[in-house]
Amino acid sequence: FTAEKDEGNNVSICRCIYTTLIRHAGTAAFGSMVIKLVRVLRAPTLFLQSKIKKSRIDNRCIDVIICSCQCCFFFLERYMKFIDRAAYVHTALFGYSFTKGSQ
């Protein structure tokens, strides 16, 4: 597709592999870390909720607080998964970093 066939392409295979391993693998690792961080934040509320149910304490205020925290963490996790997917697409198409691709 070039005018002169002898020139060729200046991009080497080693450079492409380097970019893939450094940028794209780092983006995938960072995106996974963000999702796991949200899940780690959600785990204590799950633990508290299970302990409260086992103890059979009938306090509606505590139930509402725990359920609202669970709901917030659930929607935060879903939102972060959506942002991750968009950031992965932008990274693959444009070569952006994870933070720039998720904006």
Side-chain angles (χ1 to χ4, degrees), residues 11-78:
V11 178
S12 69
I13 298 291
C14 294
R15 184 172 175 209
C16 292
I17 291 172
Y18 173 79
T19 302
T20 301
L21 291 176
I22 298 301
R23 280 208 163 168
H24 299 304
T27 297
F30 188 72
S32 298
M33 183 195 71
V34 168
I35 295 296
K36 290 298 178 186
L37 182 64
V38 172
R39 287 186 180 169
V40 165
L41 291 173
R42 191 176 171 192
T45 56
L46 281 171
F47 178 74
L48 282 173
Q49 188 176 23
S50 68
K51 288 296 180 184
I52 289 171
K53 282 187 179 186
K54 285 181 183 178
S55 68
R56 294 190 173 100
I57 296 174
D58 192 25
N59 189 343
R60 287 301 214 192
C61 184
I62 292 175
D63 288 340
V64 168
I65 291 171
I66 296 275
C67 286
S68 62
C69 287
Q70 285 287 43
C71 184
C72 289
F73 282 130
F74 173 76
F75 283 118
L76 180 64
E77 184 177 347
R78 295 287 297 219

